[in-house]
Amino acid sequence: PPSPTPIPTPLPPTPTLPAPPPGGAFTVLLLGSDERPGETDPSRTDAIIIARIDPHTGRVALLSLPRDLWVEIPGYGHARINAANVWGIIYNAPEGGLGLAQKTVSNLLGIPIDYTIHINFQGFIGAIDALGGVTVDVPKELYDDQFPTMDYGYTVAHFLPGPQQMDGQRALIYARTRHADSDFGRAERQQQVMRAIAAKIRER
């Protein structure tokens, strides 16, 4: 006779970190995935930014990590840093994908990470559109004739220098394009968009 189907053992819940002291500085890991609409497989976190926010001084510091950075993923060996979230999901890490990504970055930099925020393309577009768009000062002309679209095709991405009002779709293209320069240029553009979001929130 067939053996009974085993009942899976539930994973323990991820422990909740205590909130930082009121008014104290805290650190947020911002992860942007390349997940497109309709995709169900675990997605890589190609945008990785650490933000340290100090309410007392009103200062925010941003540090971008290259997606190809070769690091140790605790308990799973070495790989590119953008694979930590995927490995945590497919190998059922106790802390989950985001928890493993958070631990990986924390161990790499030797600093605690208080919070983690994960967003995909649609979430990014929706967040900026909810703010009514953002203003980004483009430092130089950008032309990318191989920009990857949501439907796995390609289109032209073109930005002229100077302040520009961008909706969510336009800001996503600006934050993703890299063929005109490099991943380092893209990281700077992602920080520009983050600063533009912060400026729009301050206006309100």
Side-chain angles (χ1 to χ4, degrees), residues 8-72:
T9 303
L11 293 172
T14 302
T16 302
L17 295 174
F26 57 95
T27 306
V28 182
L29 175 61
L30 306 170
L31 299 173
S33 74
D34 62 354
E35 178 188 357
R36 288 167 168 79
E39 291 184 342
T40 56
D41 291 335
S43 57
R44 300 167 300 176
T45 51
D46 281 350
I48 306 169
I49 300 176
I50 300 95
R52 184 180 186 276
I53 302 169
D54 190 338
H56 179 69
T57 63
R59 292 181 62 85
V60 177
L62 299 176
L63 172 67
S64 295
L65 297 180
R67 62 177 182 168
D68 293 331
L69 193 63
W70 193 256
V71 300
E72 180 183 0

Side-chain angles (χ1 to χ4, degrees), residues 11 40-43 76 83-94 96-98 100:
L11 293 172
T40 56
D41 291 335
S43 57
Y76 297 90
N85 176 60
V86 175
W87 285 22
I89 295 173
I90 64 176
Y91 293 126
N92 292 317
L98 297 184
L100 185 58

Side-chain angles (χ1 to χ4, degrees), residues 41-176:
D41 291 335
S43 57
R44 300 167 300 176
T45 51
D46 281 350
I48 306 169
I49 300 176
I50 300 95
R52 184 180 186 276
I53 302 169
D54 190 338
H56 179 69
T57 63
R59 292 181 62 85
V60 177
L62 299 176
L63 172 67
S64 295
L65 297 180
R67 62 177 182 168
D68 293 331
L69 193 63
W70 193 256
V71 300
E72 180 183 0
I73 299 179
Y76 297 90
H78 290 76
R80 297 195 308 175
I81 194 169
N82 67 346
N85 176 60
V86 175
W87 285 22
I89 295 173
I90 64 176
Y91 293 126
N92 292 317
E95 59 273 86
L98 297 184
L100 185 58
Q102 176 175 318
K103 182 187 290 187
T104 299
V105 173
S106 180
N107 288 359
L108 174 69
L109 300 179
I111 61 173
I113 304 293
D114 298 301
Y115 304 105
T116 298
I117 296 174
H118 176 255
I119 197 166
N120 60 14
F121 291 159
Q122 292 300 112
F124 183 91
I125 293 171
I128 290 181
D129 285 346
L131 290 172
V134 294
T135 301
V136 178
D137 191 358
V138 179
K140 64 179 182 180
E141 183 178 5
L142 292 171
Y143 183 84
D144 180 358
D145 62 356
Q146 289 291 308
F147 180 82
T149 59
M150 294 280 195
D151 57 358
Y152 306 99
Y154 295 94
T155 189
V156 173
H158 186 209
F159 295 87
L160 295 173
Q164 299 181 33
Q165 177 70 12
M166 299 183 186
D167 62 8
Q169 184 72 42
R170 187 70 171 160
L172 178 65
I173 294 173
Y174 184 73
R176 290 184 61 210

